[in-house]
Amino acid sequence: MDRTDLGILGLGVMGENLVVNLASRGFRVTVYNRTPERTRQFVSRTNRDQEIKATFSPQEFVDSLESPRKILVMVQAGNATDAVLKQVSPFLSKGDVMMDGGNSFFRDTLRRSAWMKRQGINYIGLGISGGEEGARKGPCIMAGGPRHAYEQVEPILEKIVARVDGEPCLALLGPSAAGHFVKMVHNGIEYALLQLIAETYDIQAVGLGLHEREIQRFFMSSNEAELGSYLMEITLAVLAERNPGTNDPLLGVILDKAAQKGTGAWTSQTSMELGVPVPSIDSAVAARNISAYKDERVLASTRLTSHPSRNGAVNLEKMLIRLHDALTCSWLVSYGQGFALIKRASDEYGYNTDLSEVARIWRGGCIIRCKLLDKIRFALGDDADLPNLLLDNTLAEMLRQGQQNWRLAVSDAKHLGVPIPSMNASLDYYDSYRRHTLPANLIQALRDYFGAHTYERVDSKGQFHTKWPTS
Ligand code: NBP
């Protein structure tokens, strides 16, 4: 085979499926993987000699590519990414384009792009979302890097991503690490949305003791409304799955410990550093952490008992309507927090990220695609400088209309003794954000009392300190 269009380095689930996606669009792809056996098995399984070229050393890999070379790294984020960049970079030439499609922490991408730039290599951080199926059929790609380099790979990437209304779910969202930053926040929002689905399920299954078919009906109607989304679709598929042998719901035998790979925690940590509140995401990370304490929870369940009760004599139908509104408002607020974080990072790091482009590309291919993103996109298209989605008239109206039921659903859950960390945090975020005044004046006074930290006043400018009476 002549030189190929693109090289993929790393044949895990994502790498393999991206190669098949590329080959099915007529691109010639060179592959290389640390473990050669994996490469051999992959090429014999796919049986596409015309489009896929297997290589077995970094030099053979690089030499097989058309110049300027375009390489997509698809290995585990962290040390593995550094390792493969070190192995391949000695064989690259000035002007080649190196892309990292893994879930790299954006600060690592910043460091790597500076390192590559010193060697004359163009580095692009690609946030890729969509999982295995997305990689195969059309993911959403969030790019960050130099525009001239992006333009060299754009015609290829454009062919393999998902499309909505004919538009590719692909965009350059800023220089250097902008794409990986946006992907990190995408995953942070994903944590919140998953947690909110789980809380809604828990209220129905454990709190109200509903049958699986009734719970499926609830998610089905959510999927037909504003929350129509990939996550609702797969929730329905999961609820319908049976345990082979017993024919009981499979969910009943899945251990209640949620794993995590760190992108949610990165979102929380970064938001704290930037001073942007994202409590719906923070609480979702904490909820996964508490789920890991299975043994302690089992012990605690025998000691810390509760006395759940239905909230008054409210009928079930009303409770489910409340729950639906609470889920919708909480999802919307979670997106709002994520977009506020991207905006702050864009200002702080000079990404100049177009938020309406983020909303546009998130409508397809990615895990958090949802009908709500159409409204979000319009809101951001109308006002690119909107500091928070909650200030958009249409979205604010949705929250105003849903808020009474949202409060009641939170109260229902409290009466039932069902934990709802993200739904609660979302409502508290809404209530804090919409308040003209907050009790932070008392915090300031107390800080000044014990630490002479000073405070500002509403009636005059400057910093003030009071000589408080000693206790
Ligand atoms: P994994 O994250 O499971 O990584 C497997 C690949 O990394 C294999 O090719 C493996 O080679 C290679 N690798 C490792 Br591990 N350590 C290495 C090292 N020290 N040197 C060279 N290669 C090394 O694969 P994945 O699930 O396909 O994900 C790839 C990237 O895409 C990750 O960064 C992931 O976070 C990101 N991502 C994944 C998903 C998803 O749904 N899975 C979605 C979006 C993004 P080997 O075969 O020799 O062990």
Side-chain angles (χ1 to χ4, degrees):
M1 197 191 297
D2 292 341
R3 296 227 162 113
T4 62
D5 303 308
L6 184 91
I8 298 245
L9 207 163
L11 292 175
V13 175
M14 293 297 283
E16 278 193 0
N17 282 285
L18 283 168
V19 174
V20 175
N21 185 347
L22 283 154
S24 70
R25 319 267 163 182
F27 293 108
R28 291 159 307 152
V29 190
T30 300
V31 297
Y32 171 67
N33 191 69
R34 176 183 60 174
T35 308
E37 195 45 35
R38 199 161 184 166
T39 308
R40 284 192 197 96
Q41 282 176 7
F42 172 65
V43 290
S44 79
R45 210 170 47 241
T46 45
N47 195 22
R48 277 185 177 267
D49 301 351
Q50 298 302 306
E51 296 98 358
I52 302 174
K53 181 179 174 63
T55 58
F56 297 93
S57 77
Q59 182 163 12
E60 187 195 1
F61 172 70
V62 172
D63 286 349
S64 77
L65 299 167
E66 194 78 70
S67 250
R69 302 177 182 96
K70 301 168 194 74
I71 295 173
L72 176 56
V73 174
M74 287 308 302
V75 299
Q76 204 174 59
N79 293 340
T81 306
D82 284 320
V84 297
L85 291 179
K86 276 201 191 100
Q87 285 160 13
V88 165
S89 63
F91 308 108
L92 297 176
S93 307
K94 282 195 167 60
D96 288 348
V97 181
M98 177 66 92
M99 296 173 277
D100 171 18
N103 272 338
S104 293
F105 186 43
F106 75 101
R107 291 193 205 286
D108 287 339
T109 303
L110 202 60
R111 167 177 60 78
R112 289 171 188 142
S113 49
W115 179 65
M116 283 285 172
K117 194 174 174 188
R118 286 197 291 277
Q119 302 172 58
I121 310 299
N122 297 300
Y123 197 74
I124 297 179
L126 283 189
I128 303 183
S129 176
E132 180 177 3
E133 191 183 319
R136 173 69 187 82
K137 295 182 182 159
C140 167
I141 298 189
M142 299 147 255
R147 180 165 290 281
H148 69 276
Y150 172 76
E151 282 168 357
Q152 291 182 51
V153 291
E154 189 182 21
I156 300 179
L157 299 179
E158 224 174 44
K159 292 270 188 334
I160 61 161
V161 293
R163 283 181 176 263
V164 176
D165 302 333
E167 294 178 301
C169 296
L170 161 76
L172 179 66
L173 299 170
S176 61
H180 275 144
F181 191 93
V182 173
K183 174 66 186 352
M184 175 187 79
V185 178
H186 165 286
N187 284 26
I189 296 172
E190 181 187 302
Y191 270 61
L193 305 187
L194 287 174
Q195 176 61 26
L196 287 160
I197 289 174
E199 290 171 15
T200 314
Y201 167 79
D202 202 21
I203 290 171
Q204 295 177 80
V206 176
L208 299 172
L210 297 191
H211 190 270
E212 48 175 297
R213 268 193 297 278
E214 294 171 288
I215 303 175
Q216 279 173 346
R217 252 199 306 277
F218 173 89
F219 286 114
M220 221 177 282
S221 69
S222 296
N223 194 37
E224 282 158 11
E226 306 281 2
L227 300 186
S229 58
Y230 172 71
L231 288 176
M232 283 297 154
E233 284 166 20
I234 63 168
T235 300
L236 287 167
V238 166
L239 291 175
E241 194 68 24
R242 318 304 294 182
N243 185 16
T246 66
N247 211 30
D248 290 332
L250 179 64
L251 201 51
V253 294
I254 296 180
L255 184 65
D256 56 334
K257 278 166 87 169
Q260 46 189 322
K261 284 191 171 170
T263 44
W266 291 345
T267 310
S268 282
Q269 283 157 1
T270 307
S271 73
M272 299 268 173
E273 284 163 25
L274 289 170
V276 182
V278 296
S280 304
I281 298 168
D282 301 336
S283 53
V285 176
R288 289 206 198 179
N289 289 340
I290 205 162
S291 81
Y293 286 73
K294 176 73 181 177
D295 294 344
E296 279 182 49
R297 287 191 288 113
V298 170
L299 176 65
S301 70
T302 62
R303 298 193 183 167
L304 307 171
T305 52
S306 76
H307 304 285
S309 68
R310 278 244 185 147
N311 191 4
V314 184
N315 72 30
L316 183 63
E317 199 184 339
K318 274 198 177 138
M319 276 183 151
L320 293 181
I321 291 170
R322 292 168 171 185
L323 196 54
H324 170 79
D325 287 354
L327 184 60
T328 307
C329 291
S330 301
W331 266 38
L332 182 50
V333 159
S334 303
Y335 281 109
Q337 291 167 24
F339 275 94
L341 178 56
I342 296 171
K343 177 163 175 46
R344 180 79 185 86
S346 174
D347 294 345
E348 180 75 17
Y349 305 136
Y351 291 158
N352 206 16
T353 302
D354 181 340
L355 295 188
S356 69
E357 272 292 89
V358 176
R360 180 185 71 75
I361 66 170
W362 280 358
R363 292 178 311 144
C366 73
I367 303 294
I368 64 168
R369 60 188 188 257
C370 175
K371 279 186 208 155
L372 272 179
L373 283 159
D374 285 325
K375 284 201 167 77
I376 293 174
R377 183 193 179 194
F378 282 124
L380 294 164
D382 280 352
D383 180 1
D385 289 325
L386 198 66
N388 192 307
L389 289 180
L390 274 57
L391 295 174
D392 172 72
N393 283 335
T394 308
L395 301 176
E397 184 54 30
M398 270 182 73
L399 293 168
R400 260 196 304 274
Q401 280 184 13
Q403 68 164 303
Q404 189 56 15
N405 276 346
W406 193 5
R407 289 180 203 295
L408 292 170
V410 166
S411 158
D412 289 341
K414 296 292 167 201
H415 278 271
L416 292 165
V418 175
I420 46 161
S422 285
M423 192 180 289
N424 213 8
S426 303
L427 180 57
D428 279 342
Y429 175 83
Y430 174 75
D431 277 338
S432 300
Y433 188 69
R434 66 174 187 81
R435 276 280 296 274
H436 185 274
T437 57
L438 286 170
N441 54 347
L442 178 54
I443 293 171
Q444 282 301 80
L446 294 169
R447 291 179 69 241
D448 190 54
Y449 191 120
F450 64 71
H453 291 299
T454 75
Y455 54 87
E456 291 175 278
R457 295 177 63 109
V458 293
D459 55 358
S460 20
K461 288 209 174 310
Q463 295 293 324
F464 296 85
H465 169 60
T466 292
K467 196 159 174 37
W468 303 95
T470 46
S471 56

